[in-house]
């Protein structure tokens, strides 16, 4: 039975919105009228376009709805996955579990997505196929893991493992976000202070010195030139940087641009190494879950490839897939690609020999994630003093540019 998203007026004239299941749109409208609701707009919950009654509901609200984020956030996806895993492991049918989780959720876009997925499952589709209606909420690797769980008959266990993985990723994101709050505030304050000094303080003092007709020190002349430049070009430069960031973000949506850009990122010192480790950990974790769920090796490799965000590295995995499909050992193919850490290669080789490949991928992921966690901790601990040091150097240079002419004047008078 399909799910329909609606906007309607209640008995007090207040506009309400929600999701209802019915056989057809006309049946959904009849059900709404039975509930003393006057339908304004009704449409399939998994359709991205507006319903048939958009004109009646008012264009302004529809535009606002389109601008709002409709996808599940990483935290929402993690919580939904955990709840589904618990209910399915307890023996509930998939459709009923989705209905319970979606029905009790207080956020409209989450309830809308889950009830739409439930409707597709009720129509006879597989859960992994139903999730394709919301690709922004359920990424390809998520759907691949669900598909592997359905194929092996261990969907609940796979969802449990997947929720653990999402929970770890969410914990790392929360820790990084929390640790970056103070440096971000410090950076903004530092930029404001420097901008104020360069556009207000330095020009006032420069007027005094230039009026005396004295030869200014080199550092003072440089600061005055920078001050004049900032007064004229500060706002245009901010606008250009913002526009450049937007254009770059749009261009990176194109594979022809993203792939060479990702390759460039890998060559940047420190950042490239961290990116390689992060992608290797994501690849290993995905492979471990898929192989443990009964997925065949080429299928697991393709799903792990889709989980990688760096296109330059993902393209190298295509070579590994081709080698494996021609009968080559996975460890040999991974060594040839030269994109994975040596520790991971050794553990994969040992896993092939012992028949515990899934377990070795899991252990590799644990080791790499610990390494990532340590790198993040060190990087965040160094960020704050580096910002303070940079601000201190800039302030000292500005103060020196002001003090040097004063000292020069004192020397002249005393001389």
């Amino acid at each position: 039975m399909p799910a329909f998203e609606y906007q309607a007026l209640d008995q007090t004239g207040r506009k309400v919105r929600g999701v209802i299941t019915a056989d057809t749109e006309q049946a959904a409208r009849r059900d709404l009228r039975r509930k003393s609701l006057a339908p304004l707009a009704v449409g399939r919950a998994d359709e991205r376009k507006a319903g048939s009654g958009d004109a009646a509901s008012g264009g302004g609200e529809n535009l606002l709805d389109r601008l709002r984020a409709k996808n599940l956030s990483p935290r929402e996806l993690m919580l939904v996955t955990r709840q589904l895993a618990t209910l399915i492991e307890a023996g509930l049918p998939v459709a009923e579990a989705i209905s319970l989780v979606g029905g009790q959720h207080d956020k409209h876009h989450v309830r809308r997505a889950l009830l739409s997925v439930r409707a597709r499952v009720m129509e006879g589709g597989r859960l992994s196929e139903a999730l394709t209606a919301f690709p922004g909420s359920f990424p390809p690797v998520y759907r691949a893991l669900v598909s592997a769980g359905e194929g092996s008959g261990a969907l609940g266990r796979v969802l449990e493992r997947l929720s653990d993985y999402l929970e770890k990723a969410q914990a790392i994101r929360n820790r990084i976000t929390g640790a970056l709050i103070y440096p971000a505030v410090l950076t903004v304050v530092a930029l404001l202070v420097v901008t104020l000094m360069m556009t207000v303080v330095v020009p006032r003092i420069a007027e005094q010195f230039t009026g005396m007709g004295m030869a200014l020190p080199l550092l003072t002349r440089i600061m005055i030139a920078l001050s004049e430049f900032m007064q004229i070009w500060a706002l245009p430069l901010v606008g250009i940087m913002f526009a450049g960031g937007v254009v770059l973000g749009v261009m990176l949506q194109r594979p022809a641009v993203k792939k060479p850009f990702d390759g460039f990122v890998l060559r940047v010192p420190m950042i490239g190494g961290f990116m390689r480790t992060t992608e290797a950990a994501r690849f290993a974790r995905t492979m471990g879950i898929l192989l443990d769920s009964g997925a065949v090796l080429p299928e697991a490799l393709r799903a792990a490839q889709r989980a990688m965000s760096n296109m330059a590295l993902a393209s190298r995995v295509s070579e590994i897939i081709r080698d494996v499909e021609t009968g080559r050992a996975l460890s040999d193919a991974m060594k040839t690609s030269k994109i994975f850490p040596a520790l991971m290669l050794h553990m994969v080789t040992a896993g092939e020999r012992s028949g515990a490949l899934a377990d070795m991928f899991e252990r590799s992921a644990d080791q790499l994630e610990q390494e990532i966690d340590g790198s993040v901790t060190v990087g965040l601990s160094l960020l704050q003093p580096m910002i303070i040091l940079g601000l201190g150097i800039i302030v000292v240079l500005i103060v020196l540019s002001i003090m040097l002419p004063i000292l020069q004047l004192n020397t002249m008078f005393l001389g």
Side-chain angles (χ1 to χ4, degrees), residues 30-99:
R30 286 196 302 268
D31 291 343
L32 290 173
R33 293 189 184 98
R34 292 193 190 101
K35 297 179 180 180
S36 300
L37 296 175
L40 298 176
V42 179
R44 283 288 294 261
D46 53 353
E47 290 179 354
R48 293 295 182 181
K49 58 185 179 181
S52 60
D54 285 351
S57 61
E61 184 172 348
N62 288 329
L63 177 61
L64 181 61
D65 288 343
R66 293 181 185 182
L67 293 176
R68 290 173 180 169
K70 295 295 182 181
N71 296 329
L72 274 69
S73 67
R75 173 176 168 77
E76 290 167 346
L77 181 60
M78 181 266 293
L79 292 174
V80 165
T81 305
R82 177 71 69 186
Q83 292 170 337
L84 287 176
T86 302
L87 294 174
I88 293 175
E89 278 286 89
L92 267 71
V94 174
E96 185 176 348
I98 298 173
S99 178

Side-chain angles (χ1 to χ4, degrees), residues 183-250:
V185 173
L186 184 62
T187 301
V188 172
V189 172
L191 290 175
L192 290 176
V193 170
V194 171
T195 302
L196 183 64
M197 294 182 68
M198 293 295 292
T199 57
V200 177
V201 178
V202 173
R204 296 287 179 84
I205 297 177
E207 292 176 359
Q208 303 297 323
F209 292 143
T210 54
M212 297 179 182
M214 60 181 295
L216 298 176
L218 176 62
L219 179 60
T220 304
R221 297 200 302 271
I222 292 174
M223 287 298 171
I224 292 174
L226 287 175
S227 174
E228 293 174 350
F229 177 82
M230 290 183 64
Q231 292 179 69
I232 299 173
W233 293 101
L235 291 178
L237 280 177
V238 171
I240 292 172
M241 291 174 62
F242 177 78
V246 173
V247 171
L248 180 62
V250 173

